[in-house]
């Protein structure tokens, strides 16, 4: 794999840290800014919604730019956004800075996915996307725990200064190693790009992504209460167990990429079924501490095994000039799934059937994603003979 691909991984690492590091610092942020923990938690929701809104806006705005220029511009926004977070004098200024930072997220992964596929032979495109997304998974294993420790020791603002430094390093690496476009990115015609987005196969792909990740975050958002209140772990143990989750993310991401390169449709459908099965069995596993740790790792693996096939599937269905926009929308779809999943999990906890039922309720959503993907694939196969006959 070329060095340019690992430059994209560095950018993905920085973005992954800034998205999740605040989860471990909610008490400190809330106390310093004089807001409740639940209000501080909205800084996570605000970031996710910023990704959803920012992905199409930034992709359309930069549609005619060379892709390397787009990536460097997005990293500059990322650096400025995190510096603004570190300097924020109050809650709403911090929220605004978080949303600004989020505007870089979706388009970076969307355009980065397209760039990654151009750096490798056709048979390695899904693996290339998986390697770029490894930056996101490593951020959860190393970056987020370190950023949390830094914030607890030196104040939450120190964590954002550290992420700003990561952004500066990623900017330099991308500038050095990502090749210049041989020409500007294909001339973007907004009408044609939007026409790609309304293709039934693209829309079904985006819906599949949303549904798959609603199931993941319905459980992951509340993994600490599950481990403490149901599995019986101490609060101090949760951080260590989440390292196991991070290891699962890396393994699942790389395996999902390899499988998607060889058998895209089986990898897509199989990963969604595996995710549903892990969530369903987790309902029983969390009552035993050893089994709970094993299934936390399996949840990470099953979740990120879906990422490369989902991303490459949408890219294939949006072949042509609209790929960058469709890819960015798919990243927004992941984050929309995150936001809806957190809301669904809270609904199950507050209004029944309760925390213990959360995994099996969550399992129903990737099953729905499996049905949507199956219908899309079946419909495409039925249309293919008609198209061939017409020719």
């Amino acid at each position: 794999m070329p060095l340019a691909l690992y430059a994209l991984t560095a950018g993905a690492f920085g973005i992954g840290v800034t998205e999740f590091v605040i989860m471990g610092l909610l008490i400190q942020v809330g106390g310093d800014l004089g807001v409740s923990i639940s209000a501080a938690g909205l800084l996570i929701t605000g970031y996710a919604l910023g990704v959803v809104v920012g992905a199409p806006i930034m992709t359309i705005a930069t549609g005619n730019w060379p892709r390397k220029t787009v990536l460097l511009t997005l990293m500059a926004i990322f650096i400025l956004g995190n510096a603004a977070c570190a300097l924020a004098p109050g809650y709403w200024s911090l929220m605004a800075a978080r949303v600004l930072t989020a505007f870089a997220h979706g388009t970076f992964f969307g355009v980065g996915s397209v760039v990654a596929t151009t750096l490798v032979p056709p048979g390695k495109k899904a693996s290339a996307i998986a390697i770029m997304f490894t930056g996101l998974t490593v951020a959860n294993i190393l970056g987020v725990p370190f950023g949390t420790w830094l914030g607890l020791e030196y104040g939450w603002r120190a964590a954002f200064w550290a992420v700003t430094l990561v952004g500066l390093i990623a900017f330099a690496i991308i500038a050095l190693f990502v090749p210049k476009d041989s020409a500007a990115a294909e001339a973007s015609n907004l009408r044609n790009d939007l026409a790609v987005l309304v293709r039934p196969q693209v829309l079904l792909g985006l819906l599949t992504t949303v549904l798959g990740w609603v199931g993941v975050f319905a459980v992951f958002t509340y993994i600490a209460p599950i481990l403490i209140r149901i599995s019986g772990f101490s609060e101090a143990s949760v951080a260590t167990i989440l390292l196991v989750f991070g290891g699962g993310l890396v393994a699942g991401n790389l395996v999902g990429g390899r499988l998607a390169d060889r058998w895209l449709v089986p990898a897509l459908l199989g990963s969604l079924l595996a995710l549903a099965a892990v969530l369903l069995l987790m309902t029983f596993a969390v009552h035993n501490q050893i089994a709970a740790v094993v299934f936390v790792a399996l949840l990470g693996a099953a979740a990120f095994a879906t990422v490369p096939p989902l991303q490459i599937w949408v890219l294939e269905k949006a072949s042509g000039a609209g790929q960058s926009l469709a890819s960015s929308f798919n990243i927004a779809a992941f984050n929309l799934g995150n936001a809806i999943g957190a809301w669904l999990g809270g609904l199950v906890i507050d209004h029944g059937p309760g925390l213990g039922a959360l995994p099996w309720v969550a399992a129903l959503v990737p099953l729905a994603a499996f049905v949507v993907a199956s219908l899309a694939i079946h419909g495409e196969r039925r249309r293919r003979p008609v198209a061939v006959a017409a020719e």
Side-chain angles (χ1 to χ4, degrees):
M1 292 293 180
L3 283 174
L5 190 54
Y6 296 101
L8 296 175
T9 305
F13 173 83
I15 290 174
V17 175
T18 201
E19 180 176 14
F20 296 114
V21 71
I22 200 168
M23 288 183 177
L25 300 172
L26 291 182
I27 295 174
Q28 287 71 26
V29 171
D32 186 43
L33 300 181
V35 298
S36 66
I37 293 176
S38 59
L42 291 177
L43 294 166
I44 298 168
T45 304
Y47 185 96
L49 295 178
V51 176
V52 173
V53 174
I57 290 175
M58 294 301 298
T59 305
I60 291 169
T62 60
N64 291 322
W65 298 9
R67 290 189 178 121
K68 181 173 182 177
T69 303
V70 174
L71 293 172
L72 290 173
T73 301
L74 295 170
M75 289 311 302
I77 293 171
F78 171 85
I79 292 164
L80 290 173
N82 278 289
C85 287
L87 294 169
Y91 175 76
W92 289 109
S93 57
L94 179 57
M95 177 69 80
R98 289 279 292 169
V99 173
L100 170 66
T101 310
F103 266 51
H105 184 125
T107 305
F108 183 89
F109 281 103
V111 173
S113 293
V114 176
V115 172
T117 61
T118 66
L119 296 172
V120 297
K124 293 187 176 181
K125 288 185 176 183
S127 292
I129 290 174
I131 287 175
M132 186 186 75
F133 273 87
T134 299
L136 192 61
T137 60
V138 173
N140 280 278
I141 297 175
L142 300 177
V144 171
F146 176 75
T148 301
W149 171 82
L150 194 67
L152 293 174
E153 289 291 321
Y154 299 102
W156 62 270
R157 296 178 190 274
F160 284 104
W161 283 123
V163 178
T164 303
L165 178 61
V166 171
L168 288 168
I169 294 170
F171 182 96
I173 293 172
I174 291 170
L176 284 172
F177 293 110
V178 172
K180 291 182 179 179
D181 304 52
S182 55
E186 299 91 343
S188 177
N189 182 299
L190 182 57
R191 181 176 296 178
N192 292 341
D193 287 354
L194 293 176
V196 168
L197 286 177
V198 298
R199 290 177 187 172
Q201 293 298 308
V202 174
L203 288 174
L204 289 171
L206 296 175
L207 178 59
T208 302
T209 299
V210 172
L211 291 173
W213 278 71
V214 167
V216 173
F217 265 75
V219 171
F220 182 60
T221 303
Y222 303 98
I223 194 67
I226 289 173
L227 292 172
I228 294 167
R229 296 180 184 177
I230 297 177
S231 303
F233 286 102
S234 66
E235 291 185 11
S237 303
V238 173
T240 305
I241 297 171
L242 290 182
L243 291 176
V244 177
F245 177 82
L249 293 181
V250 174
N253 181 47
L254 296 176
V255 171
R258 294 264 180 131
L259 293 176
D261 274 332
R262 296 185 180 185
W263 312 286
L264 177 57
V265 170
L268 175 66
L269 297 178
S271 62
L272 290 171
L273 278 181
L275 176 58
V278 167
L279 287 168
L280 179 62
L281 294 173
M282 197 171 182
T283 308
F284 310 101
V286 293
H287 294 280
N288 177 278
Q289 289 192 342
I290 294 175
V293 173
V294 170
F295 269 80
V296 166
L298 289 176
L299 177 60
F304 257 74
T306 68
V307 172
L310 284 169
Q311 190 72 356
I312 201 72
W313 190 37
V314 170
L315 279 174
E316 285 193 357
K317 303 311 168 191
S319 57
Q323 273 194 323
S324 292
L325 186 59
S327 181
S328 297
F329 261 86
N330 201 44
I331 300 301
F334 281 112
N335 282 270
L336 183 59
N338 296 356
I340 296 173
W343 169 81
L344 175 64
L347 201 66
V348 171
I349 293 168
D350 291 340
H351 301 287
L355 186 64
L358 196 52
W360 72 257
V361 173
L364 299 175
V365 194
L367 276 180
F370 172 84
V371 172
V372 170
S374 298
L375 291 173
I377 292 163
H378 179 67
E380 186 178 22
R381 287 173 176 169
R382 286 187 62 184
R383 280 192 296 273
R384 225 174 255 161
V386 175
V388 172
E391 290 174 4

